[in-house]
Amino acid sequence: TMKDLALIMGTASILIGLFLLLAPDSLEKIGKKTNRFYNLDSVVFKNRLIFGLLLMLASFFLIYVTYFA
């Protein structure tokens, strides 16, 4: 259902946000393997704190709206 999808996407976004904040090197290694067409790594990693926090806030909002609103 849509609630399950929102929970999965929200959880994945939280994890990616945490990786951006706490383990950017690990995320960069994963990104090098997965980015084939367009590489946003330079932009994201320059501003990793902002991107990480915004991604986590958006995912918490998604989960809140899906389950509690």
Side-chain angles (χ1 to χ4, degrees):
T1 64
M2 288 303 287
K3 282 188 175 185
D4 295 334
L5 180 62
L7 180 63
I8 291 168
M9 291 186 67
T11 304
S13 297
I14 290 169
L15 290 174
I16 292 171
L18 283 171
F19 268 103
L20 277 171
L21 294 174
L22 303 174
D25 294 337
S26 298
L27 194 60
E28 189 173 15
K29 288 178 187 175
I30 295 169
K32 285 181 182 178
K33 293 181 182 178
T34 58
N35 289 340
R36 299 278 189 244
F37 299 109
Y38 189 73
N39 192 350
L40 288 175
D41 287 348
S42 61
V43 175
V44 172
F45 283 106
K46 274 187 202 173
N47 303 304
R48 69 180 180 86
L49 295 176
I50 294 169
F51 275 99
L53 289 173
L54 288 176
L55 187 60
M56 289 175 60
L57 285 172
S59 58
F60 283 127
F61 178 75
L62 177 66
I63 291 171
Y64 173 78
V65 168
T66 302
Y67 283 95
F68 302 109

